Amino acid sequence: MSHPVLEVRDLSVRLPGAGDRRHAAQGISLTVHPREIVCIVGESGSGKSVTASAVMGLLPRNVLTRESGQILLSGQDITQASPAELRALRGNRMAMIFQEPMTALNPLMRVGRQIAEIFQFHAPQLGAREVQARVLRLLADMRLPSPDTLQHAYPHQLSGGQRQRVMIAMALALEPALIIADEPTTALDVTSQAQVLRLLHGLRERHDTGILFITHDFDVVAEIADRVIVMQQGQIVETGTAQEVLEQPRHAYTRKLIDAVPKGEFGARRPPPANDPVISVENLQMRFVTGGLFRSHHREVHALNDVSLSLARGETLGVVGESGSGKTTLGRCLAHFAAPTGGRIVMNGQDVSRLSRTQWRQWCKRIQMVFQDPYRSFNPRRTIAQTLAEGPMNYGESPARVAGRMREMLDLVSMDASALQRYPHEFSGGQRQRISIARALMMEPEVLIADEAVSALDVSVQAQILDLLEAIRERLNLSMIFITHDLRVAARLCHRIAVMQRGKVMEIGPAEQIFRHPSSDYTRELLAAIPGKDGLGSRQASIVLKEACA
């Protein structure tokens, strides 16, 4: 066998202070060979990302400390490299795809310029025209629309999935020997995810690239992994080939993770809610102009194009589609964060799409939103108590009633009242999402909009949040719009599913109908692109389908 492109020997990374454990990662040993994809799986806090950051030399100073161990890149011990030597290696010999592109990209620099910087720093021999051609080629390879125009956009002008693809393009720019991918497909829809996985497969075949792939999606593991490493509480608890780990897991923790994978249960098997529309969307339009500094770069984008749908009282409606399909724009229009350019939004018989900001204040309590990234939606300087109290206090609720409701809502989302005096950074991702749900419920809404509320969570926490949302909907008789790029998650939670593409609703119907008898070619493409069709996902889905049809 060839020499490893990456070899980690007995790596331990120490946590500061008195935490719940001494090490973020302890005794980690692993190898990645050329043309090999090694997947690390585990729950949030298991040490996956810390291990990746240690390899890249990106551990935060004065927070995490490498206590022991060696990290060899093509035989070179990079723990002994100087900061300048590490900078030269990053991007050239090794590259990292980060989970959250908005924090990794420069918000003040156009995305094309950020990709070009990789070539200018590591390949100064390339001329300006060659650099420009490579930038456009990378953007096209990522299936980004209109690369010649999109290269002039700033990160905040792109959707979450588009930003992630820009981040991946930067990592692949110089085709390094080692790629570390930290949850690179979490924010991507299934078709974009499939494209990225094919790109990584092709890269390792063409250039002998070794890939260390961190993920919580076992269907992705089934699709691409050669070997699998399972981590828990900073330690490796199981390792083996993908087939061994997925089909015959030895450790109880591994079995727990696999059991939590969405299996495609159909929400339509529950009794359907009463056909009493709480909100209706009629021919909704949303257009805006995007582009660069020059008018020739401008183009009109139809984020929503004649969208019509309704939400019954007590119903969960899933909105599914690729990145840029208009899902989040629809949610933002419904929550009055964005004003549609045409059509109507009717709530309880009244057109609320044309209300002024003052008039909307009377209605906005009734529609609340749970965001994809709760950490970015919280004020890091405010305690949880201040965060939960802000909304109702602004509407004149008494402090005594707000205090009682805070404890009631935390109990509803299975959080202890001791959380009230803590800050957002003191919680895990799943806990922050529970608090985000509690904040939305503080306003006693009729409609809850969940925008990719579980996409960044590991499978076990994701299952808990989905069960929590379903229990809350039934207990409070809420109507819910669940925006997601994961069709399996939508099938588990939603009564009906609306499939969107390029601002249009391609089809809408009961979840089981969408899965078993899709009427749109686009829906069939989405279903065909689900990763792991020939592995874990297909085996579980086939069992569920047989049970549903029995």
Side-chain angles (χ1 to χ4, degrees):
M1 181 179 285
S2 60
H3 293 291
V5 64
L6 172 68
E7 188 174 3
V8 178
R9 299 175 180 171
D10 199 26
L11 174 69
S12 291
V13 177
R14 187 163 184 172
L15 287 165
D20 59 348
R21 68 178 195 255
R22 183 177 177 182
H23 292 91
Q26 185 175 19
I28 303 300
S29 295
L30 60 87
T31 58
V32 180
H33 288 82
R35 300 170 66 96
E36 183 180 40
I37 299 178
V38 177
C39 285
I40 302 182
V41 296
E43 293 178 296
S44 176
S46 63
K48 309 184 302 294
S49 295
V50 168
T51 301
S53 296
V55 171
M56 292 293 295
L58 294 175
L59 291 175
R61 294 181 180 179
N62 304 320
V63 178
L64 297 175
T65 305
R66 184 182 60 83
E67 188 176 72
S68 64
Q70 290 181 298
I71 302 170
L72 281 70
L73 180 67
S74 300
Q76 176 188 356
D77 187 354
I78 59 176
T79 61
Q80 306 302 316
S82 67
E85 290 172 330
L86 277 174
R87 284 195 298 272
L89 288 171
R90 295 189 199 112
N92 190 10
R93 293 288 298 155
M94 61 179 179
M96 189 165 181
I97 303 168
F98 296 93
Q99 178 177 359
E100 179 43 66
M102 197 60 181
T103 59
L105 295 171
N106 187 334
L108 303 179
M109 187 181 292
R110 301 178 192 277
V111 296
R113 174 66 179 160
Q114 295 191 53
I115 299 174
E117 271 196 337
I118 302 290
F119 296 106
Q120 291 163 354
F121 183 81
H122 292 287
Q125 74 277 9
L126 297 177
R129 288 187 178 180
E130 177 62 19
V131 169
Q132 173 71 359
R134 293 194 182 196
V135 168
L136 293 178
R137 191 180 310 130
L138 282 166
L139 292 175
D141 286 345
M142 293 296 108
R143 293 187 66 201
L144 285 161
S146 304
D148 55 337
T149 299
L150 186 135
Q151 66 171 326
H152 300 289
Y154 290 98
H156 73 271
Q157 295 176 304
L158 306 180
S159 70
Q162 289 172 332
R163 286 193 292 265
Q164 186 62 286
R165 281 181 272 177
V166 170
M167 189 77 249
I168 294 169
M170 293 175 68
L172 300 183
L174 294 176
E175 301 181 346
L178 172 69
I179 290 178
I180 299 176
D182 187 1
E183 300 278 10
T185 59
T186 294
L188 301 183
D189 53 80
V190 289
T191 53
S192 298
Q193 185 181 68
Q195 176 73 5
V196 169
L197 296 181
R198 283 196 296 270
L199 282 167
L200 291 175
H201 259 298
L203 190 65
R204 72 102 174 249
E205 294 297 330
R206 293 193 308 271
H207 302 281
D208 293 341
T209 304
I211 299 173
L212 186 63
F213 197 103
I214 296 169
T215 183
H216 62 249
D217 190 332
F218 273 88
D219 284 321
V220 170
V221 172
E223 183 85 7
I224 69 167
D226 296 308
R227 287 189 296 117
V228 179
I229 295 170
V230 182
M231 291 188 66
Q232 180 187 28
Q233 293 289 304
Q235 297 181 319
I236 293 175
V237 297
E238 184 165 354
T239 183
T241 66
Q243 185 174 10
E244 290 170 347
V245 173
L246 296 177
E247 295 185 1
Q248 297 176 323
R250 300 186 304 275
H251 199 280
Y253 177 69
T254 309
R255 292 193 292 272
K256 169 193 166 187
L257 294 179
I258 292 176
D259 288 343
V261 174
K263 301 176 179 64
E265 299 97 332
F266 298 121
R269 292 187 298 189
R270 295 187 295 272
N275 188 21
D276 178 18
V278 64
I279 195 166
S280 298
V281 175
E282 301 173 4
N283 308 113
L284 204 65
Q285 305 279 341
M286 182 64 176
R287 298 185 178 91
F288 58 89
V289 176
T290 187
L293 291 173
F294 304 104
R295 187 173 297 275
S296 60
H297 293 152
H298 293 180
R299 65 188 180 98
E300 186 178 62
V301 176
H302 293 244
L304 297 176
N305 192 356
D306 202 29
V307 172
S308 296
L309 50 80
S310 64
L311 177 68
R313 197 170 302 279
E315 178 187 32
T316 300
L317 173 67
V319 181
V320 176
E322 293 178 291
S323 175
S325 63
K327 309 185 302 296
T328 295
T329 300
L330 175 61
R332 289 176 59 82
C333 287
L334 293 175
H336 212 67
F337 294 155
T341 55
R344 299 201 313 158
I345 300 172
V346 179
M347 186 171 183
N348 293 331
Q350 180 171 344
D351 185 353
V352 299
S353 54
R354 297 292 181 269
L355 296 181
S356 66
R357 186 177 295 273
T358 303
Q359 293 171 321
W360 175 252
R361 180 177 169 82
Q362 304 170 21
W363 289 86
C364 67
K365 286 180 62 176
R366 305 183 187 187
I367 302 179
Q368 291 295 305
M369 201 160 187
V370 179
F371 299 93
Q372 177 176 357
D373 185 352
Y375 191 68
R376 288 179 58 204
S377 70
F378 289 146
N379 186 331
R381 297 185 178 184
R382 291 189 175 185
T383 64
I384 299 306
Q386 292 171 321
T387 297
L388 295 183
E390 181 181 18
M393 292 288 282
N394 285 342
Y395 278 83
E397 296 282 356
S398 68
R401 186 174 189 278
V402 170
R405 186 158 179 79
M406 283 193 296
R407 286 170 171 77
E408 181 186 348
M409 290 302 100
L410 284 179
D411 182 66
L412 186 63
V413 299
S414 302
M415 293 286 292
D416 191 84
S418 61
L420 290 170
Q421 302 310 314
R422 297 164 66 186
Y423 290 87
H425 72 272
E426 299 180 72
F427 297 92
S428 69
Q431 289 172 323
R432 283 196 290 264
Q433 198 60 284
R434 289 174 183 269
I435 295 168
S436 183
I437 294 169
R439 176 177 60 179
L441 296 178
M442 286 291 295
M443 303 299 290
E444 303 181 71
E446 294 179 51
V447 177
L448 189 67
I449 301 173
D451 186 7
E452 297 282 10
V454 299
S455 66
L457 304 178
D458 54 70
V459 288
S460 56
V461 178
Q462 182 183 86
Q464 294 169 13
I465 297 298
L466 292 175
D467 290 342
L468 174 64
L469 287 171
E470 175 60 14
I472 289 173
R473 184 199 64 77
E474 292 183 349
R475 178 172 172 177
L476 303 180
N477 196 31
L478 276 175
S479 301
M480 186 159 55
I481 293 177
F482 190 82
I483 298 170
T484 180
H485 62 254
D486 193 327
L487 284 158
R488 295 157 299 180
V489 170
R492 171 172 177 169
L493 188 68
C494 302
H495 296 89
R496 291 187 301 140
I497 295 176
V499 180
M500 292 189 67
Q501 181 188 33
R502 297 175 184 171
K504 294 183 178 182
V505 175
M506 306 306 293
E507 66 175 300
I508 185 169
E512 186 173 356
Q513 174 186 314
I514 296 295
F515 266 74
R516 295 178 58 193
H517 305 292
S519 61
S520 164
D521 289 339
Y522 176 67
T523 306
R524 286 189 281 271
E525 290 175 12
L526 291 180
L527 291 169
I530 293 175
K533 296 183 300 299
D534 301 319
L536 181 69
S538 66
R539 289 193 293 274
Q540 292 182 326
S542 63
I543 293 171
V544 172
L545 281 169
K546 288 177 182 177
E547 291 175 351
C549 297

